Amino acid sequence: MNGTGATATTTADGPSTGRRELTYAVLLCLAGAGLAAWAATRTWSVEVLARGTLPPSRQERSGADLLPWLSALALVALAGGGAVLATRGRVRRLLGGLVALLGLAVAAGGGYGLVATGGVEVHRQWPALCLLGGLVAAGGGLLTARRGAAWPAMGARYERTVRSAGPSRSGGRSIAEGGNREAWDALDRGEDPTVS
């Protein structure tokens, strides 16, 4: 057996591996940031406030109440995870680094919630989920920052190269050379600008 079969297999596996890694990275970013954004809206602690002779009041505080920036960072990381699909090359790698930093900041907020929430009732599962979600999103961002430049772009197989459409009826220039204006003018006259 000659070596051409092995080369063809390696070449065929390249785009497939890139798509698989892209899928994993996007899923990690979206799942982690989504989990953190949801956990930040849950009740992390309940404070009981004394009101003199009246019964004490209970004040529930979510992660977003304790750390107002937490939900915003999680939502930006969520949007960044989706934007990984629409970018390519160096921009995708920079975006991956940004999502990784956002994920680490969200994880830090969850860690702070684990140790700093006080009150009569403390629900530590929500800050823990926020910490976990931030770390998962950071992992997806790091994977994107490290390997994202080699991954395929969204819709790359559908991109067209600009070709000359041949001479048109208006002056012998192609649509590509004449621009969109001549094509629209031809349509206004009832002509098909793609027919030579």
Side-chain angles (χ1 to χ4, degrees):
M1 182 185 229
N2 59 12
T4 56
T7 305
T9 304
T10 304
T11 306
D13 287 345
S16 174
T17 302
R19 281 191 207 94
R20 194 171 331 140
E21 288 178 351
L22 172 63
T23 303
Y24 291 154
V26 170
L27 288 177
L28 285 172
C29 291
L30 294 180
L35 176 64
W38 177 72
T41 63
R42 306 293 99 195
T43 301
W44 287 19
S45 67
V46 178
E47 294 183 25
V48 177
L49 303 173
R51 300 187 301 168
T53 58
L54 297 173
S57 68
R58 295 168 54 90
Q59 182 179 7
E60 296 182 350
R61 302 188 71 181
S62 68
D65 293 332
L66 296 169
L67 303 168
W69 49 266
L70 188 60
S71 292
L73 290 186
L75 291 175
V76 171
L78 186 66
V84 167
L85 288 171
T87 56
R88 65 172 71 177
R90 185 175 293 160
V91 174
R92 179 181 278 164
R93 292 185 68 186
L94 289 173
L95 181 62
L98 176 64
V99 171
L101 290 175
L102 291 169
L104 291 175
V106 169
Y112 174 80
L114 281 173
V115 297
T117 51
V120 174
E121 294 177 26
V122 177
H123 305 282
R124 299 218 185 271
Q125 71 270 24
W126 305 122
L129 285 176
C130 194
L131 170 66
L132 175 65
L135 291 176
V136 169
L142 286 174
L143 179 60
T144 303
R146 187 162 182 228
R147 308 206 15 112
W151 297 341
M154 180 176 71
R157 67 176 133 181
Y158 301 112
E159 291 179 358
R160 294 177 15 194
T161 56
V162 178
R163 296 182 301 177
S164 173
S168 68
R169 296 181 189 176
S170 56
R173 293 190 304 173
S174 68
I175 294 173
E177 295 168 345
N180 290 334
R181 174 99 178 144
E182 290 183 13
W184 285 110
D185 289 342
L187 284 173
D188 289 340
R189 292 188 302 269
E191 300 172 359
D192 183 358
T194 62
V195 177
S196 299

